[in-house]
Amino acid sequence: MKGPDPKPPIERFWKYVKSHLEASSCWIWMGGNNGKYGRFYRGPHRDSPQCRVYAHRFIYEHYFGSIPDNMTINHLCEVPLCVNPSHLEVATMADNMRYGNNPTAIKARQTACKYGHPFDESNTIIKGNGCRSCKTCNRARALVSANNRRKRRG
Ligand SMILES: [Zn+2]
Ligand SMILES: [Zn+2]
């Protein structure tokens, strides 16, 4: 059985980067990816899921320290395979969803719920998945279900 790779992960990391000669250009990840973001086995156990990280997250943490659990990494250059730390910024999940055109992003850009209640600070609940929820509508729904319960009871 082969033991863990003795080389520090960062040394192996650079082998997968196309070019990091110019500080300002994109450093393209040439290793494995998940169809969008680069993937890196930080080791020591290549097959352990805990050792499998996104390449851009690995390099961000290498330079700037660990990323808080509820935060995500944004590519300022919009090149998902780029691992240039100066192109990366830490952002909240909600921030990140304001970019792009996936349904969640479009939803996140809306300034009001579908009934027109504003998504302002006092009327908005940020759910665990980063989606917003309208307090006015939630209150209305809670009232309706409370009324229904009362009605059922007679
Ligand atoms: Zn870049
Ligand atoms: Zn509403």
Side-chain angles (χ1 to χ4, degrees), residues 25-27 75 77 79 82-84 87:
S25 63
C26 283
W27 302 353
H75 281 85
C77 58
V79 179
C82 172
V83 295
N84 183 338
H87 292 187

Side-chain angles (χ1 to χ4, degrees), residues 9-45:
I10 189 65
E11 246 175 69
R12 288 189 292 108
F13 184 93
W14 293 128
K15 284 198 289 193
Y16 298 108
V17 180
K18 194 179 186 179
S19 150
H20 55 275
L21 300 171
E22 268 184 77
S24 62
S25 63
C26 283
W27 302 353
I28 302 299
W29 179 253
M30 304 294 284
N33 66 69
N34 70 349
K36 186 170 185 191
Y37 296 114
R39 276 227 258 237
F40 178 61
Y41 292 90
R42 116 183 101 183
H45 309 290

Side-chain angles (χ1 to χ4, degrees), residues 113 115 117 134 136-137:
C113 83
Y115 298 104
H117 308 125
C134 168
T136 308
C137 287

Side-chain angles (χ1 to χ4, degrees), residues 71-93:
M71 302 298 263
T72 182
I73 297 296
N74 262 348
H75 281 85
L76 297 169
C77 58
E78 296 185 334
V79 179
L81 286 177
C82 172
V83 295
N84 183 338
S86 66
H87 292 187
L88 303 174
E89 78 168 359
V90 69
T92 62
M93 301 284 182

Side-chain angles (χ1 to χ4, degrees), residues 113-128:
C113 83
K114 63 177 173 181
Y115 298 104
H117 308 125
F119 274 142
D120 58 20
E121 221 171 279
S122 60
N123 190 46
T124 308
I125 302 162
I126 307 281
K127 293 190 282 192

